[in-house]
Amino acid sequence: MTDSKNPETIVLHTGYRSDETTGAVAVPIYQTTSFQFQDTGHASRLFALQELGNIYTRIMNPTQDALEQRVAALDGGVAALAVSSGQAASAFALQNLAWAGDNVVSSTDLYGGTWNLFANTLRQQGVEVRFVDPSAPENFRRATDDKTRAYYAETLPNPKLHVFPIQEVADIGRPLGIPLIMDNTAAPILCRPFDHGAAINVYSLTKYIGGHGTSIGGMIVDSGNFDWGAVPERQPALNQPDESYHGAVWTEAVKPLGPIAYIIRARVILLRDLGSSVSPQNAFQFIQGLETLPLRMREHCRNASAVAEYLGGHDKVTNVIHPSNQTGEEKRRADTYMSGGYGGLVGFELDGGKEAGQKFIESLKMFYHVANIGDARSLAIHPASTTHSQLTPEEQQATGVTDGYVRLSIGIEHVDDIIADLDQALAAV
Ligand code: PLP
């Protein structure tokens, strides 16, 4: 165990020391559905939330718990909830606050899967997501009404790679009782949204936190810094009696356990009822990835910056998209909210449109051609013909995807090999 605030130590020591019966140092995979109660009193205390403990793996499990504690500590939060995917994390993060008839204000700059969830599935369930341009933070205030339950954004959204104005939007929401939920998938370690006023973080663990590309998972982290009861009519899910839990009012019921009303509700209501739990096996895989996350993020950043510089000097490249060459307000935000580097993503545009983009992708030898990001291996995709192909040309333009745009997720291979592969593929275009 550790009280350290340093990421390199947290990822190895927080939340677990060794197994009490066997002494095992690696976090064991507790591959069990159920946990035996000590006696009937113990069982009823657990069910009444008078004591926290393991009941059933759909709701909690010691392997998941070690992972949750480590990610919560990394973000400076008080508690976390691991779920089966990043998509489940985004859905739960909003469903924990917004009901039919409510709304959420979200940045337009989102991962496509999140966009679909917000624009279609949540809408069909009665929750309206209002999309606003994040370059002007006041857009969030303008879209707010008395049914707005949360603000939502990504720290480092691709393809534009414009860092979100975290503090500016958090400051608009807080006096109104509206929390800012940040998807920090693309910038773990590099950005700590809670330090800038965000209330909740979500992650796709599938990306950098895993890094190995073996498992799908998600995480919701509670900062513990948001007063859910300050404007009680704003957050009915946490301030009104919950019929499905003996009339518990979450802001009151869990007070003795700490400022964890939000994350407890997500666990004991949403996980209980919707069941998107991560398997102990996958939680174990994420613990393995997490152990090297600080080291890997440094390498991702270093290699991506070198790639951005190389591409900037190439005569077939018309534009490089990377925070290092942004200017004005965008650069200020990148430098305010990220430290230790600008992340592992780099975009660039080629003269010659779609044909050139596709030819480039087909000419790569070492890069993998996949839709994923954040793997230890370098990855590439041509969004106009794949991830963004269902969008109209106008929509593609609005999201920052031009015909010749290529997205790179730079891995941790030797930088010379990364650049050599890009160089030979550019020569073939
Ligand atoms: N958020 C971001 C920023 C992502 O890039 C992704 C996946 O690509 C997700 C959420 C969804 O995560 P998952 O694929 O683990 O469901």
Side-chain angles (χ1 to χ4, degrees), residues 85-88 90 111 114 154 183 185 204-207 216-217 373:
S85 66
Q87 283 300 107
S90 317
Y111 163 61
T114 311
E154 287 180 23
D183 179 340
T185 298
S204 166
L205 300 173
T206 317
K207 310 294 180 320
I216 302 278
I373 59 165

Side-chain angles (χ1 to χ4, degrees), residues 115-126:
W115 179 279
N116 282 333
L117 167 69
F118 288 5
N120 301 304
T121 301
L122 287 183
R123 183 174 49 78
Q124 287 151 6
Q125 293 175 354

Side-chain angles (χ1 to χ4, degrees), residues 93-94 97 150-154 179-183 198-202 262:
L94 294 187
L97 300 173
Y151 295 157
Y152 190 98
E154 287 180 23
L180 173 62
I181 300 172
M182 292 301 305
D183 179 340
I200 302 295
N201 287 342
V202 298
Y262 173 91

